[in-house]
PDB file of all heavy atoms in Angstrom:
ATOM      1  N   CYS S 306       3.678  16.660  15.032  1.00  0.00           N
ATOM      2  CA  CYS S 306       2.853  15.998  16.030  1.00  0.00           C
ATOM      3  C   CYS S 306       2.969  16.768  17.340  1.00  0.00           C
ATOM      4  O   CYS S 306       3.601  16.337  18.302  1.00  0.00           O
ATOM      5  CB  CYS S 306       3.285  14.541  16.202  1.00  0.00           C
ATOM      6  SG  CYS S 306       3.111  13.575  14.700  1.00  0.00           S
ATOM      7  N   LEU S 352     -31.004  21.404  -2.486  1.00  0.00           N
ATOM      8  CA  LEU S 352     -29.743  21.959  -1.996  1.00  0.00           C
ATOM      9  C   LEU S 352     -29.248  23.098  -2.877  1.00  0.00           C
ATOM     10  O   LEU S 352     -28.310  23.797  -2.516  1.00  0.00           O
ATOM     11  CB  LEU S 352     -28.676  20.864  -1.925  1.00  0.00           C
ATOM     12  CG  LEU S 352     -28.812  19.885  -0.759  1.00  0.00           C
ATOM     13  CD1 LEU S 352     -27.764  18.793  -0.861  1.00  0.00           C
ATOM     14  CD2 LEU S 352     -28.702  20.609   0.572  1.00  0.00           C
ATOM     15  N   VAL S 443     -19.175  -0.467  -1.213  1.00  0.00           N
ATOM     16  CA  VAL S 443     -18.426   0.748  -0.891  1.00  0.00           C
ATOM     17  C   VAL S 443     -18.737   1.777  -1.967  1.00  0.00           C
ATOM     18  O   VAL S 443     -18.667   1.480  -3.163  1.00  0.00           O
ATOM     19  CB  VAL S 443     -16.917   0.476  -0.808  1.00  0.00           C
ATOM     20  CG1 VAL S 443     -16.122   1.775  -0.849  1.00  0.00           C
ATOM     21  CG2 VAL S 443     -16.596  -0.287   0.478  1.00  0.00           C
ATOM     22  N   ILE S 469     -21.561  25.253  11.237  1.00  0.00           N
ATOM     23  CA  ILE S 469     -20.723  25.823  12.291  1.00  0.00           C
ATOM     24  C   ILE S 469     -21.616  26.531  13.312  1.00  0.00           C
ATOM     25  O   ILE S 469     -22.517  27.295  12.942  1.00  0.00           O
ATOM     26  CB  ILE S 469     -19.684  26.798  11.701  1.00  0.00           C
ATOM     27  CG1 ILE S 469     -18.668  26.026  10.858  1.00  0.00           C
ATOM     28  CG2 ILE S 469     -18.970  27.570  12.797  1.00  0.00           C
ATOM     29  CD1 ILE S 469     -17.818  25.042  11.637  1.00  0.00           C
ATOM     30  N   VAL S 495     -11.424  23.672  14.608  1.00  0.00           N
ATOM     31  CA  VAL S 495     -12.733  23.027  14.488  1.00  0.00           C
ATOM     32  C   VAL S 495     -13.111  22.852  13.019  1.00  0.00           C
ATOM     33  O   VAL S 495     -13.587  21.783  12.605  1.00  0.00           O
ATOM     34  CB  VAL S 495     -13.799  23.838  15.248  1.00  0.00           C
ATOM     35  CG1 VAL S 495     -15.207  23.314  14.943  1.00  0.00           C
ATOM     36  CG2 VAL S 495     -13.532  23.793  16.749  1.00  0.00           C
ATOM     37  N   PHE S 506     -12.948  11.219   6.326  1.00  0.00           N
ATOM     38  CA  PHE S 506     -12.814  10.617   7.651  1.00  0.00           C
ATOM     39  C   PHE S 506     -14.246  10.393   8.157  1.00  0.00           C
ATOM     40  O   PHE S 506     -14.767  11.135   8.984  1.00  0.00           O
ATOM     41  CB  PHE S 506     -12.052  11.547   8.590  1.00  0.00           C
ATOM     42  CG  PHE S 506     -10.554  11.557   8.371  1.00  0.00           C
ATOM     43  CD1 PHE S 506     -10.010  11.962   7.161  1.00  0.00           C
ATOM     44  CD2 PHE S 506      -9.691  11.171   9.385  1.00  0.00           C
ATOM     45  CE1 PHE S 506      -8.642  11.993   6.955  1.00  0.00           C
ATOM     46  CE2 PHE S 506      -8.309  11.193   9.197  1.00  0.00           C
ATOM     47  CZ  PHE S 506      -7.783  11.595   7.975  1.00  0.00           C
ATOM     48  N   ASN S 543      -2.283  -9.689  15.373  1.00  0.00           N
ATOM     49  CA  ASN S 543      -3.596 -10.253  15.018  1.00  0.00           C
ATOM     50  C   ASN S 543      -4.520  -9.222  14.353  1.00  0.00           C
ATOM     51  O   ASN S 543      -5.638  -8.975  14.793  1.00  0.00           O
ATOM     52  CB  ASN S 543      -4.277 -10.831  16.265  1.00  0.00           C
ATOM     53  CG  ASN S 543      -3.409 -11.852  16.975  1.00  0.00           C
ATOM     54  OD1 ASN S 543      -2.826 -12.723  16.348  1.00  0.00           O
ATOM     55  ND2 ASN S 543      -3.313 -11.736  18.293  1.00  0.00           N
ATOM     56  N   ASN S 555     -18.378  -5.816  -5.443  1.00  0.00           N
ATOM     57  CA  ASN S 555     -18.284  -4.711  -4.483  1.00  0.00           C
ATOM     58  C   ASN S 555     -19.313  -4.943  -3.384  1.00  0.00           C
ATOM     59  O   ASN S 555     -20.285  -4.204  -3.235  1.00  0.00           O
ATOM     60  CB  ASN S 555     -18.515  -3.382  -5.194  1.00  0.00           C
ATOM     61  CG  ASN S 555     -18.253  -2.187  -4.289  1.00  0.00           C
ATOM     62  OD1 ASN S 555     -17.728  -2.317  -3.189  1.00  0.00           O
ATOM     63  ND2 ASN S 555     -18.632  -1.009  -4.758  1.00  0.00           N
ATOM     64  N   SER S 615     -15.564   7.274  13.403  1.00  0.00           N
ATOM     65  CA  SER S 615     -15.125   8.322  12.474  1.00  0.00           C
ATOM     66  C   SER S 615     -14.077   9.249  13.073  1.00  0.00           C
ATOM     67  O   SER S 615     -13.671  10.216  12.423  1.00  0.00           O
ATOM     68  CB  SER S 615     -16.329   9.156  12.010  1.00  0.00           C
ATOM     69  OG  SER S 615     -17.281   8.364  11.334  1.00  0.00           O
ATOM     70  N   LEU S 648      -1.940  12.428   7.520  1.00  0.00           N
ATOM     71  CA  LEU S 648      -1.478  12.492   6.132  1.00  0.00           C
ATOM     72  C   LEU S 648      -1.427  11.098   5.521  1.00  0.00           C
ATOM     73  O   LEU S 648      -1.819  10.884   4.366  1.00  0.00           O
ATOM     74  CB  LEU S 648      -0.101  13.147   6.070  1.00  0.00           C
ATOM     75  CG  LEU S 648      -0.015  14.637   6.409  1.00  0.00           C
ATOM     76  CD1 LEU S 648       1.442  15.067   6.464  1.00  0.00           C
ATOM     77  CD2 LEU S 648      -0.788  15.471   5.414  1.00  0.00           C
ATOM     78  N   ILE S 650      -3.241   8.576   6.330  1.00  0.00           N
ATOM     79  CA  ILE S 650      -4.613   8.127   6.106  1.00  0.00           C
ATOM     80  C   ILE S 650      -5.167   8.736   4.820  1.00  0.00           C
ATOM     81  O   ILE S 650      -5.812   8.051   4.011  1.00  0.00           O
ATOM     82  CB  ILE S 650      -5.495   8.484   7.316  1.00  0.00           C
ATOM     83  CG1 ILE S 650      -5.066   7.667   8.540  1.00  0.00           C
ATOM     84  CG2 ILE S 650      -6.970   8.229   7.007  1.00  0.00           C
ATOM     85  CD1 ILE S 650      -5.697   8.140   9.835  1.00  0.00           C
ATOM     86  N   GLY S 655      -6.664   7.350  -0.959  1.00  0.00           N
ATOM     87  CA  GLY S 655      -6.584   7.500  -2.407  1.00  0.00           C
ATOM     88  C   GLY S 655      -6.260   8.882  -2.904  1.00  0.00           C
ATOM     89  O   GLY S 655      -6.341   9.144  -4.105  1.00  0.00           O
ATOM     90  N   PRO S 675     -28.885   9.809 -20.245  1.00  0.00           N
ATOM     91  CA  PRO S 675     -29.713   9.217 -21.300  1.00  0.00           C
ATOM     92  C   PRO S 675     -29.443   9.864 -22.645  1.00  0.00           C
ATOM     93  O   PRO S 675     -29.646  11.056 -22.827  1.00  0.00           O
ATOM     94  CB  PRO S 675     -31.151   9.488 -20.824  1.00  0.00           C
ATOM     95  CG  PRO S 675     -31.037  10.651 -19.883  1.00  0.00           C
ATOM     96  CD  PRO S 675     -29.690  10.537 -19.248  1.00  0.00           C
ATOM     97  N   GLU S 704     -12.737  -2.477 -22.602  1.00  0.00           N
ATOM     98  CA  GLU S 704     -12.036  -1.242 -22.957  1.00  0.00           C
ATOM     99  C   GLU S 704     -13.002  -0.137 -23.371  1.00  0.00           C
ATOM    100  O   GLU S 704     -12.707   1.047 -23.183  1.00  0.00           O
ATOM    101  CB  GLU S 704     -11.033  -1.512 -24.073  1.00  0.00           C
ATOM    102  CG  GLU S 704     -11.645  -2.034 -25.358  1.00  0.00           C
ATOM    103  CD  GLU S 704     -10.601  -2.425 -26.392  1.00  0.00           C
ATOM    104  OE1 GLU S 704      -9.431  -2.588 -26.013  1.00  0.00           O
ATOM    105  OE2 GLU S 704     -10.955  -2.555 -27.574  1.00  0.00           O
ATOM    106  N   THR S 733     -29.755 -11.758 -18.811  1.00  0.00           N
ATOM    107  CA  THR S 733     -28.588 -12.429 -18.234  1.00  0.00           C
ATOM    108  C   THR S 733     -27.367 -11.565 -18.533  1.00  0.00           C
ATOM    109  O   THR S 733     -27.215 -11.038 -19.644  1.00  0.00           O
ATOM    110  CB  THR S 733     -28.382 -13.839 -18.807  1.00  0.00           C
ATOM    111  OG1 THR S 733     -28.229 -13.746 -20.237  1.00  0.00           O
ATOM    112  CG2 THR S 733     -29.554 -14.737 -18.491  1.00  0.00           C
ATOM    113  N   LEU S 771     -28.692   0.061 -21.921  1.00  0.00           N
ATOM    114  CA  LEU S 771     -28.732  -0.490 -23.279  1.00  0.00           C
ATOM    115  C   LEU S 771     -30.174  -0.820 -23.612  1.00  0.00           C
ATOM    116  O   LEU S 771     -31.039  -0.925 -22.729  1.00  0.00           O
ATOM    117  CB  LEU S 771     -27.797  -1.689 -23.441  1.00  0.00           C
ATOM    118  CG  LEU S 771     -27.970  -2.941 -22.590  1.00  0.00           C
ATOM    119  CD1 LEU S 771     -29.103  -3.814 -23.092  1.00  0.00           C
ATOM    120  CD2 LEU S 771     -26.668  -3.746 -22.625  1.00  0.00           C
ATOM    121  N   ILE S 780     -37.597 -12.300 -43.893  1.00  0.00           N
ATOM    122  CA  ILE S 780     -37.651 -13.467 -44.778  1.00  0.00           C
ATOM    123  C   ILE S 780     -39.052 -13.673 -45.345  1.00  0.00           C
ATOM    124  O   ILE S 780     -39.237 -14.013 -46.517  1.00  0.00           O
ATOM    125  CB  ILE S 780     -37.180 -14.731 -44.022  1.00  0.00           C
ATOM    126  CG1 ILE S 780     -35.706 -14.592 -43.659  1.00  0.00           C
ATOM    127  CG2 ILE S 780     -37.413 -15.981 -44.865  1.00  0.00           C
ATOM    128  CD1 ILE S 780     -35.162 -15.758 -42.857  1.00  0.00           C
ATOM    129  N   GLU S 795     -45.810  -3.062 -35.765  1.00  0.00           N
ATOM    130  CA  GLU S 795     -46.479  -3.976 -34.839  1.00  0.00           C
ATOM    131  C   GLU S 795     -45.482  -4.833 -34.056  1.00  0.00           C
ATOM    132  O   GLU S 795     -45.831  -5.399 -33.014  1.00  0.00           O
ATOM    133  CB  GLU S 795     -47.452  -4.887 -35.602  1.00  0.00           C
ATOM    134  CG  GLU S 795     -48.575  -4.141 -36.308  1.00  0.00           C
ATOM    135  CD  GLU S 795     -49.416  -3.322 -35.346  1.00  0.00           C
ATOM    136  OE1 GLU S 795     -49.723  -3.821 -34.248  1.00  0.00           O
ATOM    137  OE2 GLU S 795     -49.759  -2.170 -35.685  1.00  0.00           O
ATOM    138  N   SER S 876     -51.782  16.702 -35.099  1.00  0.00           N
ATOM    139  CA  SER S 876     -52.558  17.525 -34.173  1.00  0.00           C
ATOM    140  C   SER S 876     -52.845  18.900 -34.761  1.00  0.00           C
ATOM    141  O   SER S 876     -53.671  19.641 -34.244  1.00  0.00           O
ATOM    142  CB  SER S 876     -51.805  17.670 -32.847  1.00  0.00           C
ATOM    143  OG  SER S 876     -50.520  18.227 -33.066  1.00  0.00           O
ATOM    144  N   LEU S 931     -54.105   9.018 -22.294  1.00  0.00           N
ATOM    145  CA  LEU S 931     -54.999   8.543 -21.245  1.00  0.00           C
ATOM    146  C   LEU S 931     -54.374   8.665 -19.865  1.00  0.00           C
ATOM    147  O   LEU S 931     -55.074   8.797 -18.873  1.00  0.00           O
ATOM    148  CB  LEU S 931     -55.394   7.094 -21.519  1.00  0.00           C
ATOM    149  CG  LEU S 931     -56.183   6.872 -22.826  1.00  0.00           C
ATOM    150  CD1 LEU S 931     -56.654   5.435 -22.910  1.00  0.00           C
ATOM    151  CD2 LEU S 931     -57.375   7.816 -22.908  1.00  0.00           C
ATOM    152  N   GLN S 934     -47.211   9.547 -19.339  1.00  0.00           N
ATOM    153  CA  GLN S 934     -46.236   8.549 -19.780  1.00  0.00           C
ATOM    154  C   GLN S 934     -46.909   7.251 -20.257  1.00  0.00           C
ATOM    155  O   GLN S 934     -46.281   6.203 -20.321  1.00  0.00           O
ATOM    156  CB  GLN S 934     -45.233   8.234 -18.664  1.00  0.00           C
ATOM    157  CG  GLN S 934     -44.415   9.415 -18.194  1.00  0.00           C
ATOM    158  CD  GLN S 934     -43.570  10.017 -19.311  1.00  0.00           C
ATOM    159  OE1 GLN S 934     -42.915   9.299 -20.053  1.00  0.00           O
ATOM    160  NE2 GLN S 934     -43.605  11.320 -19.442  1.00  0.00           N
TER     161      GLN S 934
END
Side-chain angles (χ1 to χ4, degrees):
C306 299
L352 285 176
V443 165
I469 292 296
V495 171
F506 283 61
N543 305 314
N555 187 10
S615 299
L648 292 173
I650 293 169
E704 60 186 17
T733 58
L771 60 78
I780 295 177
E795 298 301 318
S876 57
L931 297 186
Q934 299 299 314

